[in-house]
């Protein structure tokens, strides 16, 4: 939050003593704590503008030379505004890249899971296609070899029905797998 704005308590030279300074600083800190919902309040620059005071002869109990140094710090921070802006842009880009990386990681995990489903579906499809065909061949191998016309036509009809069923199941699996692409 400190890189977004500067909080300045100006005209410290108008305060009479350290008690008034403490009250003004405390009041500003309390008001900031109500507006900025964070544990710590931002840094408060305390300063005064030398040369703008009408009454220069007033003897102050506060160390005004320290506040004059703070004025130089504020001027330096204001002059660093462009640098802070570029720092904010880089920080924003870094945060965006972190979010893109997280999205890429999640999409990679989703893709891996979808690929597992595709492989499992193809495995089940091949198993469904090969197992019954192998069982038919094993069960009717002797009847087809012996030349029994009825058994051969029955096996051919059953195989044709199975082939049509397999084409239908393959079409279903293809449509099912299309949703993962």
């Amino acid at each position: 939050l400190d890189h977004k704005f500067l909080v300045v308590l100006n005209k410290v030279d108008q305060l009479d003593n350290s008690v008034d300074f403490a009250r003004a600083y405390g009041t500003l800190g309390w008001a900031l704590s109500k507006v900025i919902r964070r544990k710590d309040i931002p840094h408060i620059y305390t300063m005064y503008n030398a040369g703008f005071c009408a009454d220069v002869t007033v003897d102050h109990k506060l160390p005004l030379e320290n506040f004059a140094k703070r004025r130089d710090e504020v001027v330096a921070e204001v002059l660093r505004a462009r640098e802070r802006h570029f720092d904010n842009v880089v920080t924003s880009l870094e945060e965006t890249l972190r979010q893109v990386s997280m999205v890429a990681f999640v999409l990679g995990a989703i893709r891996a899971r979808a690929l597992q489903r595709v492989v499992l579906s193809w495995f089940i499809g091949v198993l469904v296609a090969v197992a019954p065909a192998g069982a038919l061949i094993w069960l009717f191998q002797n009847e087809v070899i012996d030349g029994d016309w009825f058994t051969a036509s029955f096996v051919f009809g059953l195989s044709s029905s199975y082939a049509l069923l397999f084409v239908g199941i393959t079409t279903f699996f293809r449509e099912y797998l299309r949703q993962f692409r």
Side-chain angles (χ1 to χ4, degrees):
L1 191 61
D2 292 334
H3 61 278
K4 297 285 184 184
F5 60 90
L6 303 174
V7 179
V8 177
L9 176 60
N10 197 10
K11 297 192 177 185
V12 176
D13 57 337
Q14 300 295 318
L15 301 172
D16 293 331
N17 54 29
S18 60
V19 174
D20 289 343
F21 173 73
R23 281 188 190 137
Y25 193 89
T27 303
L28 179 60
W30 180 82
L32 286 173
S33 71
K34 296 300 176 191
V35 175
I36 301 171
R37 299 286 182 187
R38 288 182 37 178
K39 185 179 89 168
D40 298 326
I41 60 172
H43 181 73
I44 299 173
Y45 291 95
T46 54
M47 60 176 241
Y48 77 100
N49 293 326
F52 293 103
C53 182
D55 190 11
V56 183
T57 60
V58 176
D59 185 32
H60 291 283
K61 295 179 184 176
L62 295 174
L64 294 181
E65 56 276 348
N66 291 340
F67 296 121
K69 290 178 188 175
R70 290 293 184 153
R71 182 182 185 281
D72 296 336
E73 288 178 22
V74 170
V75 169
E77 287 295 320
V78 168
L79 293 176
R80 281 190 51 233
R82 180 174 283 277
E83 181 182 331
R84 281 197 318 272
H85 169 71
F86 291 143
D87 186 46
N88 291 342
V89 169
V90 169
T91 304
S92 174
L93 177 65
E94 183 181 15
E95 182 64 28
T96 302
L97 290 177
R98 266 196 210 108
Q99 291 173 354
V100 166
S101 173
M102 180 181 61
V103 168
F105 178 77
V106 169
L107 287 177
I110 291 171
R111 184 175 182 266
R113 181 117 185 229
L115 183 63
Q116 286 177 347
R117 280 189 168 186
V118 166
V119 168
L120 180 65
S121 299
W122 277 107
F123 177 73
I124 290 172
V126 168
L127 187 65
V128 165
V130 172
L136 276 176
I137 290 172
W138 184 74
L139 285 175
F140 294 108
Q141 65 184 344
N142 292 335
E143 284 81 7
V144 174
I145 292 174
D146 291 341
D148 186 11
W149 186 81
F150 177 74
T151 306
S153 62
F154 175 72
V155 169
F156 178 74
L158 196 58
S159 298
S160 299
S161 301
Y162 180 73
L164 287 173
L165 179 67
F166 181 70
V167 167
I169 289 173
T170 304
T171 304
F172 171 74
F173 274 125
R174 188 172 292 135
E175 291 298 321
Y176 174 72
L177 295 177
R178 189 172 289 162
Q179 71 181 338
F180 295 114
R181 291 185 185 166

